[in-house]
Amino acid sequence: MNDTDVSKQIQQMVRFIRQEAEEKANEISVAAEEEFNIEKLQLVEAEKKKIRQEYERKEKQVEIRKKIEYSMQLNASRIKVLQAQDDLVCSMKEAAAKELLLVSENDDAYQNLLKDLIVQSLLRLKEPSVLLRCREEDLQLVESVLGPAKEEYAQKAGVHSPEIVVDNKIFLPPAPSNSDTHGLYCSGGVVLASIDGKIVFENTLDARLDVVFRKKLPEIRKCLFNLVVA
Amino acid sequence: MDTRQSGIQQLLAAEQEAQRIVNEARNAKMARLKQAKEEAEKEVAAYRAQMEAEFQRKLAQSSGDSGANVKRLEQETEEKIEHLKSQAENISHDVVQMLLKHVTTVKN
């Protein structure tokens, strides 16, 4: 081989070495780009998923809180309406209680009422001997109807005329004065008890109002509410 | 003799150059992979900001709705109570009379 040929061969080999290196570098570069993309995508997707879940959870919490708040407000408003209804119904009872005070002012009617109340109490107690208590201001009226009352009871129950002991010492509280509606008061009527005091029958006008009111309450409420719904 | 020497040197130089080229590519690869992490973080941060903005928007909208609902509920309640009051006025007299009648009527 002469020098030119050797030189040529050397050049070829140099070029070859360079070519191989560049090819390898290229491969590395391409692989790098692929790995870059895959790595970046994986990282991004993993984090995005976490973030999505986080916000889903946040939104759910907000939803729940809203529902709870609304439900609370609904309840509060229902209670408000029920309270209003209750207040209205109670003021009707109070109005009735006020008018009740006028009952004892009509002597004739009241006297008759007292007699009926005493008879009713006797019929309920079914005792041969009873205690009777009334308001001090009603004492005279009561004593005036004791006779007729005993007779009526004896006839209706088919027994002997009972013994009625009127309490002259302790009376039912009087009608309320304007200034004192919070103290004890009685609008009229009587209280009877078995002679041993163990069975008591309250037949005062106030007690009767309580009983009637409680009994009629559903009906009154229905009247009140029915037309609101309509 | 000289040519053989320089020939070998040329080859050695070529090898060195080859090595340098490959190393350079390897370094570039490392740098690129590091970039992956940085760019991923940027994209994620942008996504989070977007989600947050959307969340806040929905929040503002729904609290506006709630406010309107509360007002409506309050108004309905007031109307119901007004109805009750006027209804009570209507029936009050009759109710009172009915109660009094039952109290003062005794069936023996």
Side-chain angles (χ1 to χ4, degrees), chain B residues 78-106:
Chain B
E78 284 313 308
E79 278 174 23
K80 281 195 186 142
I81 294 185
E82 280 314 304
H83 267 142
L84 279 175
K85 283 191 181 157
S86 81
Q87 192 49 28
E89 265 183 58
N90 283 345
I91 68 173
S92 182
H93 176 81
D94 291 341
V95 168
V96 168
Q97 294 310 309
M98 179 269 291
L99 289 172
L100 286 175
K101 196 177 107 182
H102 278 90
V103 170
T104 56
T105 311
V106 188

Side-chain angles (χ1 to χ4, degrees), chain B residues 36-81:
Chain B
K37 212 173 179 204
E38 285 163 13
E39 283 193 20
E41 275 173 20
K42 258 198 241 164
E43 261 187 50
V44 164
Y47 187 68
R48 177 179 276 280
Q50 181 193 349
M51 291 294 263
E52 178 70 16
E54 180 67 12
F55 177 69
Q56 292 299 338
R57 185 191 67 82
K58 282 191 194 164
L59 202 63
Q61 184 180 49
S62 89
S63 75
D65 288 342
S66 303
N69 269 349
V70 166
K71 269 222 171 96
R72 183 181 52 87
L73 203 61
E74 276 177 8
Q75 202 177 12
E76 278 177 17
T77 307
E78 284 313 308
E79 278 174 23
K80 281 195 186 142
I81 294 185

Side-chain angles (χ1 to χ4, degrees), chain A residues 112-156:
Chain A
N112 211 32
L113 180 59
L114 281 173
K115 174 185 71 71
D116 286 340
L117 291 178
I118 296 173
V119 173
Q120 185 184 50
S121 313
L122 289 168
L123 286 169
R124 290 286 177 85
L125 285 173
K126 292 196 173 73
E127 294 274 317
S129 189
V130 298
L131 294 169
L132 184 151
R133 210 173 265 172
C134 63
R135 298 187 303 177
E136 194 167 4
E137 61 244 55
D138 295 338
L139 193 56
Q140 274 187 327
L141 278 180
V142 164
E143 286 183 336
S144 72
V145 295
L146 273 187
K150 287 187 205 178
E151 263 182 53
E152 195 177 316
Y153 165 66
Q155 196 183 51
K156 286 213 162 103

Side-chain angles (χ1 to χ4, degrees), chain A residues 10-11 32-33 35-36 40 48 52 54-55 59 73 77 80 99-100 113 116 120 208 227, chain B residues 10 17-18 29 32 36 39 43-44 47-48 52 58 70 77-78 87 99-100 103-105 108:
Chain A
I10 302 268
Q11 291 311 314
E33 204 58 23
E35 273 181 50
F36 166 83
K40 183 168 129 179
K48 273 192 183 178
R52 271 196 295 271
E54 184 184 321
Y55 277 92
E59 278 182 23
Q73 273 146 7
S77 97
K80 231 179 151 191
E99 292 217 14
L100 216 53
L113 180 59
D116 286 340
Q120 185 184 50
R208 290 173 69 81
L227 294 134
Chain B
Q10 273 185 301
E17 178 69 9
K29 177 174 170 178
R32 193 68 176 132
E39 283 193 20
E43 261 187 50
V44 164
Y47 187 68
R48 177 179 276 280
E52 178 70 16
K58 282 191 194 164
V70 166
T77 307
E78 284 313 308
Q87 192 49 28
L99 289 172
L100 286 175
V103 170
T104 56
T105 311
N108 278 330

